[in-house]
Amino acid sequence: MRRSQVATPYLPERIDGLFEIATNLAWSWDREARALFRLLDRPLWHLTRHNPLAQLRTVDPGRLAACARDPKFLQLYDHVLANLRATGSNAFTWWARTQPGLDGRPIAYFCAEFGLHNSVPIYSGGLGVLAGDHCKACSDLGVPLVAVGLLYTQGYFDQRIRLDGWQEDTDERFDPVQAPLEPLLGSGGEPYLAVVRTAGRPIHIGVWRMRVGRVPIYLLDTNLEENDPADRALASRLYAGGPEMRLRQEWVLGVGGVRVLRAVKLDPGAWHANEGHASFMLVERVRELVAAGVPYDEACRRVRGTSLFTTHTPVPAGHDAFSLEQVEACTGPVWEEMGIDRAAFMRLGYIPTRDHGQFHMPALAMRLSGHANGVSKPHGAESRRIWRDLWPGRRTAEIPIGHVTNGVHLATWMSHRMMALLDNHLGADWGNLLEDPAAWAKVLTLDDEVLWFVHKELKAILIHFVREQARRRWADEWKEAAHVVGAGTLLDPDVLTIGFGRRFATYKRSTLIFRDLDRLRKLLVDPWRPVQIIFSGKAHPEDEPGKKMLQEVYQFSRDPQLEGRVAFLEDYELHLAHRMVQGVDLWLNLPRPPMEACGTSGMKAALNAVPQLSTLDGWWFEGYDGLNGWAIKAGTEGVDEDAWDAGELYRLLEDEVVPLFYERDAQGVPLGWVAKMKHALKSVGERFTAHRMIQEYVRGYYLPALRSEGAGDDPPTA
Ligand SMILES: *Cc1c(COP(=O)(O)O)cnc(C)c1O
């Protein structure tokens, strides 16, 4: 890859702004921009999986010339381009209206992964998608966020399932030159913007800027000729390559990220570390201040006053920790530049009651951030319990960790058909009502038949998509009918369809529904009121128990006893996730409480009026209101949790879910079910959008930091 080679596709002059539109990911949630690319070449739009840049590089020049003369195309084009250029100004945003008079310093947001669109595969799952939604909502609201992440040229991994159901992890190289990324050069024209020392040698850091509406994301890239081959490889894969490699990636993200922001002349007034991977950002800022002559304690106080740490993992084993030797090998004697000794530095990552040979990244983050939060109400409480050892002598309830419940980006996750329905019902400017939760009550008066019709269309799109995927795979390599069936070809658009799309981590219990196979089978193959289930999800490449669980589900999908009522779809990523959350009838979520930090896919489903059935964990603990879906309530102390939850799941399906779905009026509309759908939509619109989440971050954390009022909570005392 040569950075200078970023080719602009040939475009007729009248429509050469298409490149500008395609290189700002704002198109990905702008309905009109999407309509424009669909109009440009509908089959290509479909074949590129909605990737305008790929589309512009392959579209027939004759087609471009025709569009450049087509008044209908040009009208839409002019409108989309004008809108995009108008986002250059913040004047009419929520931020501009509510926060006048701030001095314009941005908020820096650091995260190891960003999930914005399937054409930029630099995310592995929930954390990345959340970070992507965070940036999009900040753009909408005009919040001056600048984000920092890492570029991975092999992304995460593509999932292929072997015929025996074992997951294979394949790479699909991703070429940044083909993605909506803009390479930045150093002030002297060199291909790097910063240099970081690690393992005793310098790493040069190149930068790609990705535009997400108003928000820039600076993606750091170490794959430069200037670097040692071992360091070039840091930019290849997400969460792979063992602890030393991950540690160095985190060092590049944290230290390199701060230096890159300095190189592009940004001076953030608030700093947000999203998960422990980003914690070294705090260390670098302390080092900067000490280098400028500020004493260490005062430097820490200032960094704490302007920093927020968000934790996403409720399992201690899921937190990043490294041995002290690994840390020293990576960082070198950075403590000398911070004005402290090695022992004091290592103590920043210390947890008194845990393994003393380890350096814990979240502990570092909590010592150097004035605020910390979990991502749902129960996860806040669980985090206070997990981290209480850092504040010995305090009661758990007094541990200074709060929560901001995650939310999802409406324009990304709500289908266009559903939006069009709301245009008609709430008025075309309902998007502006997002800041007024009361407006959502009106969705309860949507016409039942119309809402049901829209849902049926979305379900048909999902089933069509599933069959097309299966058709291709069959033609390519499958020879046995079982595989074609298991990929969902026998799915029936009239049957109650349950969706289960998530990572195959054991606590998510994707096999729980198979616990009593006879009872499940009765539900699935009932001749009058059958049920079908669509599964999808990846297991972490190193998670053997997760892969085993996946294999089990895969084999059930090929089991003739279940008559084609269970499907497993390969390679769960954003595009497929969209299809699933928009098209199923019911979203199923079975985490073992309190292991789910938040869980956002149920919110995405609800934005499409798809109700959820879930254990009362993560956001559902706050979100379930008795009307918008179903909840599996905890059994009494001492019962076998899995047995209890499975029993409750079957009972709810048999007694409530299935009867409600199949109870129809004279027009064939399930009125009781549609009522659940409306409540699902209302409750998520009111309380679980990313806009609400960002407003909470702004009011609770970003503003106090920007106004320099943010002294922060009491630091850990241990
Ligand atoms: C939303 C999403 C996730 C996270 O879903 P959870 O409900 O938190 O498990 C993971 N992967 C993709 C592709 C998503 O869109």
Side-chain angles (χ1 to χ4, degrees):
M1 162 198 46
R2 291 237 54 86
R3 261 149 237 281
S4 50
Q5 270 173 7
V6 178
T8 2
Y10 163 77
L11 294 169
E13 199 182 335
R14 176 64 179 86
I15 53 173
D16 64 1
L18 282 174
F19 184 68
E20 184 179 338
I21 301 170
T23 48
N24 185 325
L25 278 169
W27 67 259
S28 71
W29 74 93
D30 175 1
R31 273 192 281 175
E32 288 165 328
R34 296 172 68 90
L36 182 69
F37 289 113
R38 205 177 303 119
L39 199 57
L40 176 65
D41 189 327
R42 202 181 182 100
L44 256 188
W45 174 246
H46 182 70
L47 286 173
T48 60
R49 291 195 156 203
H50 306 175
N51 181 344
L53 214 49
Q55 205 185 2
L56 293 183
R57 293 209 159 94
T58 41
V59 66
D60 173 38
R63 178 69 202 140
L64 283 169
C67 286
R69 288 188 308 265
D70 172 2
K72 196 166 144 237
F73 185 89
L74 292 176
Q75 191 190 5
L76 186 57
Y77 164 82
D78 290 337
H79 177 72
V80 169
L81 190 60
N83 267 354
L84 176 65
R85 290 186 173 158
T87 63
S89 147
N90 259 357
F92 301 104
T93 60
W94 171 78
W95 176 269
R97 287 200 314 278
T98 56
Q99 321 300 340
L102 284 171
D103 64 1
R105 291 176 81 186
I107 299 141
Y109 180 78
F110 281 58
C111 189
E113 51 173 303
F114 287 90
L116 292 134
H117 187 258
N118 46 286
S119 59
V120 193
I122 53 168
Y123 68 95
S124 75
L127 179 69
V129 178
L130 178 85
D133 281 8
H134 194 105
C135 295
K136 291 170 182 172
C138 282
S139 171
D140 293 341
L141 294 170
V143 176
L145 194 87
V146 297
V148 178
L150 295 173
L151 181 85
Y152 311 95
T153 48
Q154 291 168 31
Y156 191 46
F157 67 91
D158 281 359
Q159 180 191 52
R160 276 283 180 250
I161 309 292
R162 275 191 338 222
L163 296 184
D164 65 355
W166 195 251
Q167 169 181 297
E168 310 231 288
D169 318 324
T170 64
D171 285 339
E172 189 173 323
R173 277 194 70 83
F174 143 73
D175 183 356
V177 171
Q178 301 292 335
L181 303 175
E182 171 197 1
L184 303 186
L185 297 177
S187 50
E190 63 281 5
Y192 53 88
L193 272 79
V195 181
V196 169
R197 279 194 82 75
T198 175
R201 57 177 184 262
I203 302 186
H204 300 78
I205 298 181
V207 179
W208 300 84
R209 182 162 56 197
M210 175 156 65
R211 292 176 196 278
V212 182
R214 297 181 172 90
V215 170
I217 303 185
Y218 295 92
L219 295 174
L220 315 189
D221 176 9
T222 60
N223 186 16
L224 302 181
E225 279 159 17
E226 287 79 357
N227 289 334
D228 188 276
D231 297 331
R232 294 184 69 162
L234 293 180
S236 61
R237 282 256 203 88
L238 178 56
Y239 308 136
E244 271 101 5
M245 178 151 165
R246 215 172 58 238
L247 180 60
R248 276 191 295 143
Q249 285 177 325
E250 294 181 11
W251 187 247
V252 166
L253 173 64
V255 178
V258 174
R259 292 184 188 176
V260 162
L261 291 180
R262 302 304 183 205
V264 295
K265 305 275 184 291
L266 287 170
D267 182 22
W271 301 73
H272 189 168
N274 197 40
E275 198 45 289
H277 316 120
S279 308
F280 287 133
M281 166 264 276
L282 303 153
V283 168
E284 170 63 6
R285 288 165 51 224
V286 171
R287 192 204 60 79
E288 277 184 333
L289 286 167
V290 171
V294 179
Y296 174 74
D297 287 335
E298 171 62 13
C300 289
R301 202 190 62 77
R302 286 198 210 165
V303 167
R304 289 176 51 77
T306 47
S307 301
L308 165 67
F309 167 58
T310 301
T311 168
H312 292 260
T313 322
V315 237
H319 293 126
D320 254 347
F322 303 101
S323 76
L324 304 190
E325 294 69 35
Q326 284 169 339
V327 171
E328 182 165 6
C330 172
T331 67
V334 63
W335 44 87
E336 289 169 8
E337 294 174 67
M338 297 167 75
I340 53 177
D341 62 16
R342 180 181 185 276
F345 179 78
M346 293 301 175
R347 268 188 73 80
L348 290 170
Y350 166 75
I351 303 177
T353 47
R354 291 208 205 129
D355 181 353
H356 288 191
Q358 298 273 298
F359 188 92
H360 299 264
M361 296 297 281
L364 169 67
M366 285 197 238
R367 288 202 172 84
L368 292 179
S369 306
H371 297 280
N373 72 289
V375 291
S376 69
K377 193 167 179 201
H379 180 236
E382 188 58 13
S383 301
R384 288 189 284 280
R385 198 184 65 73
I386 294 176
W387 298 107
R388 69 188 162 195
D389 297 346
L390 293 180
W391 289 267
R394 279 216 197 180
R395 300 212 332 268
T396 302
E398 292 166 353
I399 302 300
I401 301 177
H403 76 272
V404 173
T405 304
N406 286 341
V408 293
H409 186 243
L410 182 138
T412 295
W413 292 104
M414 187 185 276
S415 73
H416 292 180
R417 280 173 170 74
M418 196 59 68
M419 287 193 193
L421 179 64
L422 297 190
D423 289 344
N424 288 335
H425 192 72
L426 302 177
D429 66 340
W430 65 272
N432 300 331
L433 298 177
L434 273 178
E435 294 143 30
D436 173 18
W440 285 94
K442 225 179 144 192
V443 303
L444 297 180
T445 60
L446 280 167
D447 184 85
D448 297 313
E449 206 174 331
V450 174
L451 177 59
W452 182 242
F453 181 77
V454 168
H455 170 67
K456 280 182 58 166
E457 277 190 318
L458 290 166
K459 191 169 169 186
I461 291 173
L462 167 67
I463 289 181
H464 174 77
F465 175 82
V466 168
R467 288 184 181 155
E468 276 309 301
Q469 299 281 101
R471 190 189 309 281
R472 255 182 257 162
R473 289 282 274 132
W474 186 42
D476 287 353
E477 52 203 290
W478 290 335
K479 298 293 166 250
E480 285 172 46
H483 296 296
V484 185
V485 169
T489 39
L490 293 186
L491 292 177
D492 178 343
D494 292 328
V495 169
L496 168 58
T497 305
I498 298 176
F500 189 99
R502 48 192 7 102
R503 179 183 292 281
F504 277 80
T506 47
Y507 78 86
K508 295 202 184 229
R509 299 193 294 187
S510 19
T511 47
L512 192 70
I513 198 167
F514 299 103
R515 196 179 161 98
D516 182 341
L517 205 54
D518 285 336
R519 206 163 162 190
L520 175 66
R521 188 171 176 278
K522 280 203 186 81
L523 276 163
L524 298 182
V525 306
D526 183 291
W528 307 114
R529 302 186 309 181
V531 176
Q532 59 195 9
I533 316 177
I534 303 179
F535 285 91
S536 191
K538 294 173 175 175
H540 188 281
E542 270 126 57
D543 180 7
E544 292 289 309
K547 285 185 170 178
K548 271 215 144 69
M549 209 170 222
L550 188 154
Q551 186 173 34
E552 243 180 277
V553 171
Y554 183 87
Q555 278 160 357
F556 282 123
S557 75
R558 270 76 183 154
D559 184 343
Q561 273 197 82
L562 301 180
E563 300 184 10
R565 297 282 189 215
V566 175
F568 182 90
L569 311 185
E570 273 175 333
D571 209 31
Y572 188 57
E573 43 68 68
L574 283 167
H575 193 70
L576 175 54
H578 270 101
R579 293 281 158 285
M580 280 183 70
V581 298
Q582 295 175 359
V584 298
D585 295 307
L586 178 72
W587 197 253
L588 181 65
N589 186 27
L590 299 167
R592 186 180 291 128
M595 308 285 272
E596 181 91 310
C598 180
T600 50
S601 49
M603 301 174 186
K604 300 168 189 169
L607 279 181
N608 294 285
V610 171
Q612 175 171 252
L613 192 170
S614 171
T615 42
L616 274 178
D617 199 12
W619 79 282
W620 202 228
F621 180 86
E622 297 158 64
Y624 173 65
D625 62 9
L627 300 169
N628 56 355
W630 291 267
I632 295 175
K633 298 186 175 123
T636 45
E637 258 328 281
V639 299
D640 173 339
E641 233 184 346
D642 287 355
W644 171 269
D645 289 352
E648 282 297 287
L649 170 61
Y650 296 128
R651 187 186 63 74
L652 285 170
L653 290 174
E654 290 158 354
D655 297 353
E656 300 187 25
V657 174
V658 172
L660 194 68
F661 182 82
Y662 284 106
E663 190 182 310
R664 304 296 167 100
D665 73 356
Q667 275 69 46
V669 180
L671 293 175
W673 187 272
V674 171
K676 289 262 185 219
M677 290 172 61
K678 291 179 184 175
H679 279 281
L681 177 56
K682 169 177 175 284
S683 61
V684 167
E686 280 174 351
R687 294 169 55 204
F688 298 102
T689 63
H691 283 201
R692 187 272 312 150
M693 167 178 79
I694 295 302
Q695 289 170 333
E696 273 185 47
Y697 276 115
V698 166
R699 293 185 182 119
Y701 301 105
Y702 294 168
L703 282 179
L706 289 174
R707 294 196 177 118
S708 311
E709 300 159 354
D713 296 314
D714 301 340
T717 45

